[in-house]
Amino acid sequence: MADQDAQSPVGSEPPALPVLRWHELPEGPVLVLLDQTRLPVEEVELVCTDVPALVRAIRTLAVRGAPLLGIAGGYGVALAAARGYDVAEAVGLLERARPTAVNLGYGVRRVAAAYGAAAEKGAGAAEAAAVALVEARALHREDAQASRRMAEYGTALLEELLPGRGYQLLTHCNTGALVSGGEGTAFAVALRVHRQGRLRRLWVDETRPLLQGARLTAYEAARSGMAYSLLTDSAAGSLFAAGEVDAVLIGADRIAADGSVANKVGSYPLAVLAKYHHVPFIVVAPTTTVDMDTAEGTSIIVEQRSGQEVTELTLPQVVSAGGGGGMVVAPLGSPAYNPAFDITPPELITAIVTEEGVISPVTGVGLAELCARSSQVTIS
């Protein structure tokens, strides 16, 4: 188990992560991404000049995380428009890039709608492309604002549930600045608690597939000077039994209309453990992650990843590209079950925290009312 006990001095914050940015070059605009498959070993930027390159980055998890996928998808439409590519074709490629995270399709459709509306009003290609870029930047800005509000609502909820104390928080997968236009979702709550001097420890599940907790959340926690410990996913139960977890904070890739949550595989057993041990299980996600067209959790498409990620040990950038070549740890030909996500039903969730407020208890009616408010506020 890896431990870090250092705390960053008050007012001493690391520079913001350069996760995604639009860059104008003489030969045309590009979308510049921090290649997350190379973390934590090195910070390397990936330059996408067209939509197929961005789709590859999405599929290989060079860019990932529900809110950031929506932002990337929006910029992808703007990129296609600015470079004179077929926007309708770009929309189709981007929407199919990953099936589970609903934010990707939301961002793509929103920017495509702005582009289409401009074209219908008689705007030329360059003017319509400029409108698309404005909409993508608005989406980016709104997500940063949503991140801040989720952190505020989340810390207030923790104080309500566990008043007057410091917290040992357990988190799964990666939900920080690497997935967001701001400081993240669930991780942003833990970071705000840390800045208040009330974070006793952040327990970080290593998180399969691709060890996104170990590689990315631990990287962000160390970078922020947080006290954290890394653990295997299978060790979480012993922490609950020892009374070392005050609350669980996770993000979401899709929230169905009934309040069921799709998140990185391993989230559901954490919810079961939390329920048994009377520990709050809190989901933090923007309203763009809610899919009212998906009635219930069983309707969510769960991405199945290569069995080589289970039968071999290899570098994440090699696995994500679909190749083998790692050290074999299972008999050759062993079948493997490797879903990227699982589904947590609403009855196991203490609360869902969004930028529009907190839902608790989690019900379909409450979710619908909150999304109705959100539509009036955030969607132009």
Side-chain angles (χ1 to χ4, degrees):
M1 184 185 297
D3 295 287
Q4 174 164 312
D5 293 304
Q7 299 280 340
S8 59
V10 175
S12 175
E13 299 295 338
L17 282 168
V19 179
L20 180 152
R21 59 189 172 88
W22 180 272
H23 188 52
E24 298 281 352
L25 296 174
E27 59 271 26
V30 295
L31 191 59
V32 183
L33 312 171
L34 179 65
D35 186 348
Q36 297 190 31
T37 67
R38 309 292 286 271
L39 295 174
V41 177
E42 54 185 351
E43 295 181 4
V44 176
E45 290 189 328
L46 184 65
V47 178
C48 297
T49 59
D50 56 25
V51 167
L54 177 57
V55 169
R56 285 193 296 274
I58 292 170
R59 287 179 173 164
T60 60
L61 305 186
V63 58
R64 27 83 40 211
L68 191 64
L69 285 175
I71 296 167
Y75 277 119
V77 174
L79 183 64
R83 284 191 166 257
Y85 298 133
D86 187 319
V87 172
E89 180 182 356
V91 167
L93 289 171
L94 287 163
E95 283 194 308
R96 294 190 298 271
R98 290 195 72 190
T100 304
V102 69
N103 303 64
L104 176 58
Y106 168 80
V108 169
R109 290 189 296 272
R110 174 170 159 175
V111 176
Y115 172 85
E120 286 180 4
K121 292 177 181 177
E127 186 180 351
V131 169
L133 179 58
V134 167
E135 192 69 16
R137 284 175 166 158
L139 179 63
H140 197 164
R141 184 174 58 253
E142 288 169 17
D143 186 73
Q145 295 167 349
S147 175
R148 184 183 66 254
R149 292 199 296 270
M150 284 186 286
E152 292 170 354
Y153 282 123
T155 51
L157 176 63
L158 285 174
E159 175 59 27
E160 179 182 336
L161 296 172
L162 306 163
R165 58 190 288 187
Y167 311 114
Q168 295 192 95
L169 304 174
L170 190 150
T171 192
H172 194 70
C173 196
N174 174 248
T175 58
L178 292 170
V179 310
S180 170
E183 292 184 322
T185 58
F187 186 88
V189 177
L191 184 58
R192 185 177 174 87
V193 170
H194 161 66
R195 288 170 178 163
Q196 293 175 342
R198 300 179 66 183
L199 180 67
R200 294 171 55 204
R201 183 153 302 274
L202 182 66
W203 298 110
V204 178
D205 274 355
E206 62 180 2
T207 316
R208 280 184 175 265
L210 300 186
L211 304 180
Q212 292 184 34
R215 293 190 304 106
L216 305 178
T217 300
Y219 162 79
E220 291 196 75
R223 196 173 182 274
S224 300
M226 302 165 78
Y228 75 93
S229 295
L230 179 65
L231 64 147
T232 63
D233 294 359
S234 55
S238 60
L239 282 180
F240 282 97
E244 297 293 327
V245 180
D246 297 308
V248 180
L249 295 174
I250 69 165
D253 286 85
R254 185 180 295 243
I255 302 174
D258 69 342
S260 296
V261 169
N263 194 54
K264 194 62 63 185
V265 67
S267 300
Y268 169 65
L270 286 180
V272 174
L273 283 165
K275 188 77 169 182
Y276 179 80
H277 291 281
H278 308 290
V279 170
F281 183 89
I282 300 166
V283 175
V284 186
T287 51
T288 52
T289 305
V290 180
D291 181 12
M292 297 305 293
D293 293 330
T294 299
E296 54 191 19
T298 55
S299 302
I300 297 175
I301 298 172
V302 173
E303 175 188 341
Q304 298 291 326
R305 295 187 61 81
S306 169
Q308 289 176 326
E309 295 176 359
V310 178
T311 61
E312 298 180 6
L313 293 178
T314 190
L315 296 175
Q317 55 263 45
V318 175
V319 174
S320 61
M327 182 175 68
V328 175
V329 295
L332 291 176
S334 292
Y337 175 62
N338 189 25
F341 306 93
D342 56 24
I343 312 297
T344 301
E347 57 267 23
L348 294 180
I349 300 170
T350 306
I352 295 178
V353 176
T354 78
E355 78 278 16
E356 295 297 330
V358 177
I359 306 167
S360 182
V362 178
T363 66
V365 172
L367 200 57
E369 291 175 350
L370 183 136
C371 287
R373 295 201 304 273
S374 174
S375 297
Q376 296 169 9
V377 173
T378 62
I379 300 176
S380 58

